[in-house]
């Protein structure tokens, strides 16, 4: 795969953090799941928890509001800035619970161990090779306290999506981009590279009033097939305690499009 495409595919969807929040504002079930599970592991403790790929704080903010401290790491400054803006509107007791760091989970060393490390909402779909996933898992291991938990979710590769014709343009609903306040026609194009198992989604925004008003976002995800994911976790020293198919606690089966994993170091 073209490294430039992979770089763009890990960044461009996260450049416009206000649009990111608009897109995923109804995604709440994972926020509840992570909150409940983290509190169950911590018991009476209040963290801190390490969230890799913390983004705009969709998950972390609720934890902080509930009194759990979070250290959030992300490569994308626009996502961290948006989280920091949200925190400014929070009371001091919440602001004090969050520490944000710009950093790459591939070479992170906070010299600290945590009872819980998380990577919610497809963060590890941005590890594009087995070696990259192994590196990410080593970061998790070096930050987990003995007996600690690693919670994360990635997508289930969807055969219908993988078969999509890359020349076909899929029409979505018109959207308003918060950055401009203007209306856009929304179009998608899907491509899947069978050798690297990388899926690319191009998301185009074409101005309703002015087609020259155009924006393109690219998202690249490595498809992690369930058994492959379990194998890498195993060989990197993790025990998979739960491999769920949704955030309600159902075991993974063919009806699911999420893989939700609870692991601990072996
Ligand atoms: C889909 S978002 C999830 C954000 C947040 N966890 C949530 O649940 O909304 C993926 C996040 O992972 C971040 N990310 C991708 N690769 C990363 C890396 N190597 N190190 C740290 N963050 C990364 C992106 O910048 C983005 O904010």
């Amino acid at each position: 795969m073209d490294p430039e495409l992979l770089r763009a595919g890990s960044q461009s969807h996260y450049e416009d953090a206000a649009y990111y929040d608009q897109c995923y504002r109804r995604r709440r079930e994972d926020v509840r799941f992570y909150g409940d599970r983290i509190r169950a592991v911590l018991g009476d403790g209040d963290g801190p928890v390490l969230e890799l790929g913390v983004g705009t704080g969709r998950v972390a903010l609720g934890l902080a509001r509930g009194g759990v401290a979070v250290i959030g790491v992300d490569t994308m400054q626009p996502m961290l800035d948006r989280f920091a803006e949200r925190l400014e509107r929070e009371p001091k007791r919440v602001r004090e619970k969050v520490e944000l760091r710009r950093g790459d989970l591939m070479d992170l060393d906070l010299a600290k161990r945590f009872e819980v490390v998380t990577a919610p909402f497809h963060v590890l779909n941005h590890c594009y090779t087995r070696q990259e996933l192994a590196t990410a898992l080593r970061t998790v291991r070096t930050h987990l306290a003995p007996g600690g938990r690693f919670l994360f979710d990635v997508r289930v590769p969807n055969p219908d999506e993988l078969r999509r014709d890359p020349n076909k343009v899929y029409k979505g609903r018109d959207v308003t981009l918060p950055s401009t306040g203007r209306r856009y026609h929304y179009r998608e194009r899907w491509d899947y590279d069978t050798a690297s198992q990388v899926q690319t989604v191009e998301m185009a925004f074409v101005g309703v009033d002015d087609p020259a008003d155009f924006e393109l976002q690219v998202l690249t995800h490595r498809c992690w097939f369930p058994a492959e994911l379990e194998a890498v976790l195993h060989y990197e020293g993790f025990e998979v305690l739960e491999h769920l198919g949704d955030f309600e606690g159902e075991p993974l089966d063919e009806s699911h499009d999420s893989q939700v994993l609870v692991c601990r170091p072996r």
Side-chain angles (χ1 to χ4, degrees):
M1 282 293 286
D2 174 8
E4 213 24 60
L5 174 65
L6 297 179
R7 192 195 54 77
S10 314
Q11 297 183 356
S12 83
H13 188 52
Y14 311 122
E15 296 280 1
D16 186 346
Y19 177 64
Y20 175 91
D21 277 345
Q22 176 176 296
C23 274
Y24 303 114
R25 65 189 181 283
R26 291 199 187 88
R27 193 182 161 93
R28 301 294 308 161
E29 63 282 8
D30 61 340
V31 176
R32 273 193 299 276
F33 171 87
Y34 281 103
D36 292 349
R37 290 305 188 100
I38 289 167
R39 279 187 285 272
V41 176
L42 293 178
D44 292 335
D46 63 355
V49 165
L50 173 61
E51 185 176 332
L52 302 171
V54 72
T56 59
R58 223 173 44 83
V59 174
L61 187 56
L63 286 171
R65 283 177 179 155
V68 174
V70 182
I71 298 183
V73 177
D74 205 288
T75 42
M76 291 299 290
Q77 196 60 46
M79 299 291 270
L80 293 171
D81 288 346
R82 173 112 178 145
F83 192 1
E85 281 165 26
R86 294 174 81 184
L87 283 171
E88 278 167 25
R89 297 191 290 272
E90 295 290 324
K92 187 160 175 264
R93 67 170 176 80
V94 176
R95 290 200 307 271
E96 284 176 349
K97 289 285 178 194
V98 181
E99 187 183 323
L100 296 180
R101 292 189 177 225
R102 186 164 186 195
D104 190 329
L105 65 88
M106 302 302 248
D107 60 12
L108 186 73
D109 185 4
L110 298 179
K112 206 170 154 51
R113 289 187 181 261
F114 301 81
E115 275 181 81
V116 185
V117 177
T118 64
F121 196 17
H122 306 166
V123 174
L124 297 190
N125 284 114
H126 291 295
C127 297
Y128 295 109
T129 61
R130 175 177 54 78
Q131 290 83 351
E132 283 185 12
L133 181 59
T135 303
L137 293 174
R138 272 172 229 145
T139 295
V140 174
R141 273 184 75 88
T142 54
H143 289 88
L144 262 184
R149 294 288 186 273
F150 175 42
L151 312 179
F152 72 102
D153 63 282
V154 291
R155 305 187 73 213
V156 178
N158 176 329
D160 293 331
E161 287 178 358
L162 306 188
R163 272 197 299 268
R164 284 183 178 172
D165 176 356
N167 298 310
K168 186 169 169 189
V169 174
Y170 293 82
K171 288 185 183 176
R173 287 208 188 126
D174 289 359
V175 293
T176 301
L177 285 184
S179 53
T180 65
R182 292 191 289 271
R183 293 291 288 168
Y184 294 81
H185 299 305
Y186 178 73
R187 307 282 183 262
E188 284 178 352
R189 214 175 60 78
W190 294 67
D191 200 358
Y192 177 61
D193 181 68
T194 47
S196 62
Q197 295 180 201
V198 173
Q199 186 176 47
T200 303
V201 188
E202 281 180 3
M203 294 167 271
F205 303 83
V206 185
V208 168
D209 297 323
D210 174 12
D213 182 7
F214 179 82
E215 190 183 311
L216 187 69
Q217 294 184 7
V218 189
L219 182 66
T220 47
H221 273 164
R222 162 69 192 244
C223 293
W224 290 109
F225 287 86
E228 177 189 26
L229 187 57
E230 288 203 12
V232 181
L233 283 160
H234 174 81
Y235 290 113
E236 292 307 321
F238 284 89
E239 179 184 0
V240 176
L241 299 172
E242 294 175 80
H243 195 158
L244 307 171
D246 62 22
F247 296 99
E248 308 298 329
E250 287 297 314
L252 179 66
D253 68 25
E254 70 281 359
S255 68
H256 293 123
D257 54 17
S258 289
Q259 305 183 62
V260 187
L261 290 101
V262 179
C263 312
R264 73 174 166 211
R266 273 205 317 277

